[in-house]
C-alpha cells in the first residue's frame, strides 16, 4: 500500500517538477501524432476517392452482329473470368440508336433516314473500381479485343491511362510520405525523450545511489511515458478531428460530399494509434533510462 | 523486504566477524592509475574509523568500493558478511538503503528543498510520512538547518549543502555510515555539531567511516585512524 | 588574427566535444528538411500534374448556324474577355462531319446518306489550365450559353466537376499538410536546439564567469548553427534528390513521364530552403543561448 | 582591448585609493534572507585579506558581489576605481578577465582535461598558445598536479579538482584574486603548497581575498582578517 502511494507520489512530484519539459515533450508527441495521423487519414480517404473517380470508366466492345442472350451470358462469363468486373451491359443496335437520337436531341430527325440498324451492337464493360484493375486497363482492353465477334474495343484511352498513372503516383507519394513521416516522428519522439531523460540523469543516479529499487525508479518513468503517450496522442487526434470537421464544413459542397465520403478513422484505428504511441513513449523512456543507470 | 532496512539483529552474524572486511583490495583506473593497492581492513560492528591521507591518496575510491558504487579490480569486499561482488541487483539495492553515504561532492539535487532531498532517501526505503517528518526535523535541528528546511538546496551556502548531505546519509539510521570529508566546508563550531551527530549515531550502534584531512577532528579522538599514502595503507 | 584563430579553435573543439548531440541535431534538421521539402516538391509537382490532367477539358458550344470568320473573331474576343482561355476553335459542319466519320472508321459509310450538313457547327473552348478556372467551369459554361447563336453548351459535366473537386481537395490537403509540417518541423528543430544548448549551459556560464566577450561565446554558436543548418539542409535535400531520382526511375513509364514532368526544385528554391534553414538554426541557437546567459 | 587584460600600471589610480571598496553593501535574498548587511570594506592594492565566519555567514555572497556575479541590494562596490553597477557589458567582461575567482563549488567542466579547463580562462583573454602552455605547466607543477595534466577533471579526486579551480583563478595573473574556501578539501601539505602560490602572487602585486574557515592558515599569518557574523562585519 505504502509502496504504491510512494510511487504515485513520486510520479506526481516528477510531473510537477519537470512540467515545462513534460509539456514540450507532450507537444512533440502531439504534433508527431497529428501529422502522422493527418497523413494516414488523407491516405485512406484518397484511396477511396480514387476509386470513386474511376466510376465513369467503361470499355465498349463493338460486335460484328447482334448476339443471342445465351451468347451474351457466355461472353459475360468469359469477361468476368479474366478480371474483376462490376457490370457488363449488352447494347443492341436498337439501344445504341435510341441513345444517339437522345444525344442529338433536337437534331434527331437527321437519323430518321438511317433506320435503327446503322449503329453496331456493343458490350459495355464497367471494370471494378479499384486502382489495381485500373492500371491494367490496357491489358484488359487487349483481352476484350480477342473475344469472338468483337470488332473493336473503345475506351477513354488517354484519359484512363492518365488517371491510372495519377492514382498510382498518388499511392506512391502517400506511401513514401507515410514511411518518411513514421521514420521522422519516431526519431523525433525518441530523441526528445532521450534528451529529457538525460536532463534528469542526476536525479536518477542519486535515486540509484540511495538504494531505490528498480520498481521505484522505473514505475514512475513508465507511468510518465504512458501518460505522455496517451495525452500526446489524445491531443494530436483531437486536433486532427477538429481540423477534419473544419475541412469538411468549410470545403465541401453537395457535389463534394457526394464524391468523397471524407470519413474519420474508425475507433479501432484510433485505439491502435494510441496504443502504439503509448508503447513507444513508455518503451522509449525505459530504454533511455537503462543506458543512464549502469550502476 | 522490510527486514534489511532495519538494523540486522546482532545475532545474525557472529559478533567477532568484522562488519566491513576488505581483503587485498586493489583498484586500478584505466589506463594505469593505481588508486588503491592491496588494502586489507577489518572494521568491527559499531566501530568509528577515521580514514586520512593526502589529496589523491585514494580515500574516496575506498569508500566508493565499500558502498558498491564501483567494483575493485582485485580483492574481496564483504559488508555485513556478504561478498559485494556476489550480490544480486535486488540485494544490492536493499544493502544500499542500509548504508548512508555523505558524498564529498554532496550529490544533492539543487532544485529540491532541503526537506525533499533528505526525505528522498527515506522514501526509497518506504518509511512512513510521519517518521520521515519527525526524523528530518530532528536532524535539521542538530545540524543548525531548521530555518532552511524549505529552501532549495541550490540556494544554500556550501557548508549548508554539506550538512544536508550528511543529514541525508544519517536519515535512515543506517547500520553503516560513510562520510567523505564531511567538514571540508564547515567552521569549527559547525564541525563539532556534525561530530556530535556522528558520535550519537555511533553510540546507537552505527558503524562509521569518516574520510577526512582535518586533523583537529581526529587528533585527540579515541578512535582508530587509518592512513592512506598513494593508495597503500600505512 | 589570434582572435579569429581562437574562435575557430573554440568552434572546432565544441563540435568535437559534442559531436554525438551535434549528429543527432543534424539528423533532426535533415529529417525535418527532408519531409518538408518532400512535401513541397510533391505539392509543386501535383499542381503541375493537375494542370496536365485538365488538358482534355473543352467546352463545346453548339451554334444555330454557320458563322462568318468575322463573327468568329467577335465571339472569340467575347469569350476571352470573360475568362482566361487557352484556345478557341471553330468547328464547321463539314469539320464536325469529317471527325465523326473518322471516329466511325469502318462504319463511316453509314454517314454517306446524311450528307455533310447533318451535324451542327460548334465552337470548342479550351479553358486555361489552372485549377482556379477549373472550379469555375460551370459558371463559365453558363456564360457561354448566353452567346448569340449558341444553342447548347456541352462538356464532360460530371467528370469536370469531380476533377475540379478532386484537385481542389488536393490543394487544400497539400496546403494544410504543408502548414502543419512547417509548424512541426520548426517546433522540433527549435526544441532540439534549445535542449542541446541547455545541455551546455554549464560551459556557457563558466565562459561568462571567466569574462569571455560576447563575440567569443556567440560566434562559435553562430557558426555551429550555420553549419547545422547548412549540412542538415544539404543532407535533407540530397536524400530528397536521391529519393526523387529513385521514384522517377522506378515508377515512371513512358506515358507517365509524358503526363507529369516530375521535376526537382530549381536552384533558387534550393538556395531559399537552405537559407531559411540556416537562419533558423543560427537564430535558434542564439535566442536559446540568450535565455541562459543572463549574467 | 589588450590593455586591461594585463595588470593596470600602478600610476593609473592614486595609490592611496582602495583597490576594492565596498560602501554600506547589503544583500537580501528573496523573500527575506539578509545575507549581508551594511558591509563597508576597503582593500588596498596588493593586500592579502582573509574573510572568515561561520557556515552561512555570507562569505561567498560577498565574493560574488565583488566579482560581479550578483548585484547588491543596496550600497556601492568599486573595483579598480570603477563602480560595478555602472559598467557596460563589454567593460564588465574585460574586468572579469582581470579577476581570478576560485569558486567554492569549483565550476570546472568535468569533461575537459585539467589543461583544457585552465587554458579556457587564458584563451578567453586571447593569450598566445605558448604563454598558455608555459603558464599552465608552471601552475600544475606548483600545485602537484603535473601528472594529471591531461586527465579529465571529472576523474580527479575532489582535492585535485579544487587545485584545478585555484590554478584557473591564478592563470591570467589577475590583479585581483578571490579564493573561496580554497583548502576545504586539501590536507595540510597541499594546503601549504596552495598558500605558497597565493603568497607568491601577492608578492608580485596581486590583491587577494581568501574566504576560509581553516584557522590554521590564517591564525599566525601577518594578514588582515575580516570576520563575518550573520552577514555583519565584526
Ligand atoms: N574515475 C577515475 N579515473 C581515473 N583516475 C581516477 C578516477 N577516480 C579517481 N582517480 C584517481 O585516483 C586517485 C585517488 O582518488 P580519490 O578520489 O580516491 O582521492 P582522495 O583520497 O579522495 O583525495 P581527496 O582528498 O582529494 O578527495 C587520484 O589520483 C585520482 O586522480
Ligand atoms: N540564492 C540564494 N537564495 C537564497 N538564499 C541564499 C542564496 N545564496 C545564499 N543564500 C543564503 O545566504 C546566506 C549566506 O550564504 P553564503 O553562501 O554567503 O555563506 P558562506 O559564508 O559562504 O557559507 P559557507 O562557509 O557555508 O560557504 C546563507 O544562509 C544562504 O542560505
Ligand atoms: Mg576524496
Ligand atoms: Mg561559501
Amino acid at each position: 500500500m505504502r509502496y504504491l502511494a510512494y510511487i504515485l507520489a513520486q510520479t506526481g512530484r516528477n510531473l510537477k517538477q519537470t512540467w515545462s519539459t513534460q509539456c514540450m515533450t507532450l507537444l512533440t508527441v502531439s504534433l508527431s501524432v497529428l501529422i502522422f495521423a493527418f497523413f494516414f487519414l488523407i491516405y485512406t480517404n484518397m484511396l477511396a476517392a480514387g476509386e470513386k473517380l474511376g466510376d465513369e470508366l467503361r470499355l465498349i466492345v463493338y460486335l460484328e452482329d447482334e448476339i443471342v442472350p445465351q451468347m451474351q451470358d457466355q461472353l459475360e462469363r468469359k469477361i468476368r473470368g479474366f478480371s474483376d468486373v462490376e457490370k457488363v451491359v449488352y447494347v443492341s443496335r436498337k439501344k445504341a440508336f435510341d441513345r444517339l437520337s437522345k444525344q442529338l436531341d433536337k437534331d434527331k430527325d437527321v437519323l430518321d433516314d438511317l433506320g435503327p440498324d446503322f449503329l453496331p451492337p456493343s458490350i459495355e464493360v464497367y471494370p471494378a473500381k479499384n486502382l489495381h484493375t485500373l492500371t491494367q486497363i490496357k491489358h484488359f482492353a487487349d483481352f476484350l479485343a480477342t473475344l469472338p465477334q468483337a470488332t473493336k474495343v473503345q475506351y477513354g484511352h488517354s484519359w484512363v491511362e492518365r488517371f491510372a498513372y495519377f492514382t498510382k503516383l498518388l499511392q506512391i507519394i502517400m506511401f513514401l510520405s507515410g514511411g518518411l513521416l513514421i521514420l521522422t516522428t519516431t526519431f523525433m519522439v525518441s530523441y526528445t525523450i532521450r534528451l529529457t531523460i538525460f536532463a534528469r540523469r542526476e536525479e536518477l543516479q542519486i535515486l540509484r545511489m540511495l538504494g531505490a529499487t528498480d520498481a521505484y525508479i522505473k514505475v514512475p518513468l513508465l507511468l510518465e511515458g504512458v501518460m505522455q503517450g496517451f495525452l500526446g496522442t489524445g491531443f494530436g487526434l483531437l486536433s486532427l478531428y477538429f481540423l477534419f470537421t473544419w475541412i469538411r464544413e468549410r470545403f465541401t459542397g453537395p457535389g463534394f460530399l457526394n464524391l468523397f465520403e471524407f470519413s474519420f478513422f474508425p475507433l479501432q484505428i484510433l485505439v491502435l494509434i494510441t496504443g502504439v504511441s503509448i508503447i513507444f513513449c513508455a518503451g522509449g523512456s525505459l530504454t533511455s533510462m537503462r543506458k543512464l543507470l549502469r550502476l | 523486504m522490510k527486514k534489511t532496512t532495519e538494523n540486522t539483529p546482532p545475532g545474525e552474524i557472529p559478533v567477532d566477524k568484522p562488519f566491513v572486511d576488505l581483503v587485498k583490495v586493489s583498484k586500478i583506473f584505466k589506463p594505469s592509475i593505481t588508486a588503491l593497492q592491496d588494502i586489507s581492513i577489518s572494521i568491527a560492528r559499531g566501530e568509528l574509523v577515521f580514514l586520512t591521507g593526502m589529496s589523491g591518496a585514494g580515500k574516496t575510491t575506498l569508500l566508493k568500493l565499500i558502498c558498491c558504487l564501483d567494483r575493485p579490480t582485485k580483492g574481496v569486499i564483504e559488508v555485513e558478511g556478504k561478498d559485494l561482488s556476489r550480490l544480486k541487483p535486488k540485494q544490492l539495492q536493499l544493502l544500499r538503503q542500509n548504508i548512508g553515504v555523505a558524498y564529498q561532492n554532496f550529490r544533492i539535487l539543487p532544485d529540491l528543498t532541503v526537506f525533499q532531498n533528505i526525505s528522498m532517501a527515506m522514501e526509497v526505503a518506504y518509511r512512513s510520512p510521519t517518521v520521515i517528518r519527525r526524523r528530518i526535523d530532528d536532524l535539521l535541528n542538530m545540524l543548525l538547518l531548521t530555518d532552511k528546511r524549505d529552501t532549495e538546496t541550490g540556494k544554500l551556502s556550501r557548508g549548508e549543502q554539506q550538512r544536508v548531505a550528511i543529514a541525508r546519509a544519517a536519515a535512515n539510521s543506517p547500520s553503516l555510515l560513510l562520510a567523505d570529508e564531511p567538514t571540508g566546508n564547515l567552521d569549527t563550531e559547525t564541525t563539532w555539531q556534525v561530530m556530535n551527530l556522528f558520535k550519537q549515531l555511533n553510540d546507537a550502534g552505527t558503524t562509521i567511516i569518516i574520510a577526512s584531512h582535518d586533523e583537529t577532528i581526529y587528533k585527540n579522538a579515541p578512535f582508530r585512524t587509518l592512513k592512506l599514502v598513494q593508495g597503500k595503507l600505512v
Side-chain angles (χ1 to χ4, degrees), chain A, chain B:
Chain A
M1 225 15 252
R2 191 183 293 164
Y3 171 87
L4 204 76
Y6 271 125
I7 282 177
L8 287 180
Q10 174 79 357
T11 313
R13 220 176 307 147
N14 278 351
L15 290 179
K16 217 168 110 195
Q17 266 150 31
T18 57
W19 68 270
S20 63
T21 24
Q22 299 281 354
C23 284
M24 292 298 268
T25 314
L26 209 66
L27 202 58
T28 312
V29 176
S30 293
L31 278 174
S32 299
V33 168
L34 178 59
I35 61 171
F36 167 69
F38 182 71
F39 234 84
F40 190 49
L41 188 64
I42 289 171
Y43 180 57
T44 50
N45 277 290
M46 215 60 143
L47 286 186
E51 279 171 31
K52 280 255 168 162
L53 208 59
D55 260 13
E56 218 151 277
L57 183 70
R58 60 174 180 192
L59 296 98
I60 304 171
V61 186
Y62 289 103
L63 301 174
E64 262 170 49
D65 217 333
E66 299 271 4
I67 49 175
V68 289
Q70 201 184 348
M71 180 82 171
Q72 285 172 27
D73 287 349
Q74 198 185 322
L75 274 178
E76 181 164 348
R77 238 176 295 122
K78 259 195 180 164
I79 293 170
R80 285 191 189 277
F82 181 81
S83 171
D84 209 11
V85 163
E86 190 164 298
K87 204 165 63 171
V88 176
V89 178
Y90 176 69
V91 180
S92 61
R93 280 188 210 277
K94 169 93 178 67
K95 220 165 158 192
F97 182 81
D98 287 351
R99 265 201 212 156
L100 183 59
S101 67
K102 215 184 229 163
Q103 253 175 41
L104 291 177
D105 203 15
K106 260 197 344 200
D107 306 305
K108 74 177 167 209
D109 40 300
V110 298
L111 294 174
D112 289 350
D113 301 336
L114 290 165
D117 284 347
F118 92 101
L119 287 171
S122 61
I123 295 178
E124 293 182 348
V125 180
Y126 295 83
K129 284 168 233 149
N130 65 58
L131 297 174
H132 184 65
T133 48
L134 274 180
T135 56
Q136 290 190 327
I137 217 78
K138 209 187 155 80
H139 197 51
F140 191 31
D142 290 345
F143 162 76
L144 290 178
T146 66
L147 288 178
Q149 297 270 351
T151 57
K152 194 175 117 182
V153 178
Q154 208 182 49
Y155 63 102
H157 183 81
S158 78
W159 185 81
V160 163
E161 215 162 51
R162 283 177 190 201
F163 180 74
Y165 279 125
F166 188 68
T167 44
K168 193 182 171 190
L169 186 72
L170 251 188
Q171 207 179 13
I172 294 164
I173 285 169
M174 288 293 168
F175 194 70
L176 280 174
S177 320
L180 212 58
L181 276 178
I182 292 177
L183 211 129
T184 307
T185 49
T186 302
F187 167 76
M188 299 259 183
V189 170
S190 69
Y191 183 43
T192 308
I193 289 179
R194 210 182 74 97
L195 280 174
T196 46
I197 294 270
F198 193 69
R200 286 165 61 190
R201 69 187 179 290
E202 181 77 3
E203 182 196 336
L204 294 176
Q205 277 176 7
I206 289 176
L207 277 175
R208 220 16 164 203
M209 289 173 168
L210 292 174
T213 52
D214 275 354
Y216 193 89
I217 298 180
K218 281 179 190 166
V219 174
L221 276 176
L222 202 71
L223 284 180
E224 241 178 80
V226 169
M227 269 187 61
Q228 259 164 13
F230 183 75
L231 289 181
T233 318
F235 287 142
L237 291 177
L238 210 70
S239 335
L240 184 64
Y241 184 73
F242 284 126
L243 197 67
F244 167 78
T245 47
W246 181 72
I247 293 175
R248 196 151 69 168
E249 273 171 24
R250 178 85 179 64
F251 292 102
T252 51
F256 221 41
L257 261 176
N258 199 359
L259 178 56
F260 307 110
E261 289 162 89
F262 201 48
S263 63
F264 203 62
F265 294 124
L267 194 64
Q268 297 103 295
I269 298 286
L270 292 179
V271 171
L272 189 76
I273 293 178
T274 313
V276 168
S277 172
I278 287 176
I279 288 172
F280 194 76
C281 286
S285 297
L286 285 187
T287 44
S288 309
M289 190 208 49
R290 184 156 298 173
K291 275 183 209 148
L292 284 176
L293 290 181
R294 294 239 183 81
L295 264 183
Chain B
M1 196 163 102
K2 275 204 71 188
K3 227 196 275 168
T4 46
T5 65
E6 287 155 16
N7 287 1
T8 331
E12 270 188 20
I13 336 169
V15 183
D16 56 330
K17 219 188 158 197
F19 191 66
V20 177
D21 200 5
L22 287 84
V23 183
K24 291 219 162 210
V25 171
S26 295
K27 177 73 192 177
I28 295 161
F29 289 109
K30 278 166 199 154
S32 63
I33 297 159
T34 308
L36 293 174
Q37 205 179 334
D38 287 333
I39 304 282
S40 297
I41 307 176
S42 288
I43 297 170
R45 173 177 292 280
E47 223 189 323
L48 193 161
V49 179
F50 282 101
L51 190 64
T52 69
M54 255 185 78
S55 173
K59 304 181 291 295
T60 302
T61 307
L62 187 63
L63 293 185
K64 271 192 185 162
L65 292 183
I66 293 173
C67 68
C68 217
L69 272 190
D70 211 340
R71 295 191 176 277
T73 316
K74 269 188 290 182
V76 177
I77 304 176
E78 285 185 8
V79 176
E80 301 195 31
K82 291 171 207 124
D83 183 347
L84 292 187
S85 63
R86 300 248 173 85
L87 287 181
K88 294 197 196 84
K90 189 93 188 168
Q91 289 179 299
L92 176 65
Q93 285 152 16
L94 292 178
L95 181 71
R96 276 207 192 126
Q97 290 178 13
N98 208 19
I99 303 180
V101 189
Y103 298 95
Q104 198 171 8
N105 50 357
F106 310 167
R107 306 301 303 257
I108 54 180
L109 288 170
D111 298 330
L112 298 190
T113 65
V114 172
F115 183 88
Q116 286 169 336
N117 263 289
I118 304 175
S119 80
M120 210 165 133
M122 300 182 77
E123 282 173 16
V124 154
Y126 303 115
R127 306 274 185 227
S128 86
T130 37
V131 170
I132 291 180
R133 222 169 304 124
R134 209 172 312 130
R135 175 73 179 155
I136 292 179
D137 285 344
D138 275 359
L139 284 168
L140 293 185
N141 203 19
M142 285 186 70
L143 295 169
L144 314 173
L145 280 175
T146 309
D147 53 337
K148 301 289 177 192
R149 185 180 185 276
D150 296 315
T151 310
E152 286 137 51
T153 56
K155 291 183 176 171
L156 295 182
S157 87
R158 197 76 190 154
E160 286 159 353
Q161 289 176 0
Q162 183 150 45
R163 281 172 280 159
V164 174
I166 293 166
R168 191 181 60 186
N172 274 330
S173 307
S175 59
L176 175 63
L177 194 148
L178 310 177
D180 198 352
E181 208 77 78
T183 60
N185 290 278
L186 300 181
D187 56 291
T188 332
E189 191 187 326
T190 324
T191 297
W192 285 119
Q193 293 285 348
V194 170
M195 287 312 294
N196 268 340
L197 174 64
F198 287 154
K199 272 170 203 149
Q200 201 171 306
L201 286 170
N202 186 234
D203 289 343
T206 303
T207 312
I208 301 181
I209 307 177
I210 301 173
S212 179
H213 68 264
D214 191 351
E215 290 190 12
T216 51
I217 63 171
Y218 62 82
K219 212 151 202 183
N220 302 312
F223 302 113
R224 181 149 68 117
T225 304
L226 302 169
K227 188 164 184 186
L228 281 175
V229 174
Q230 298 199 335
K232 275 177 239 148
L233 210 59
V234 293

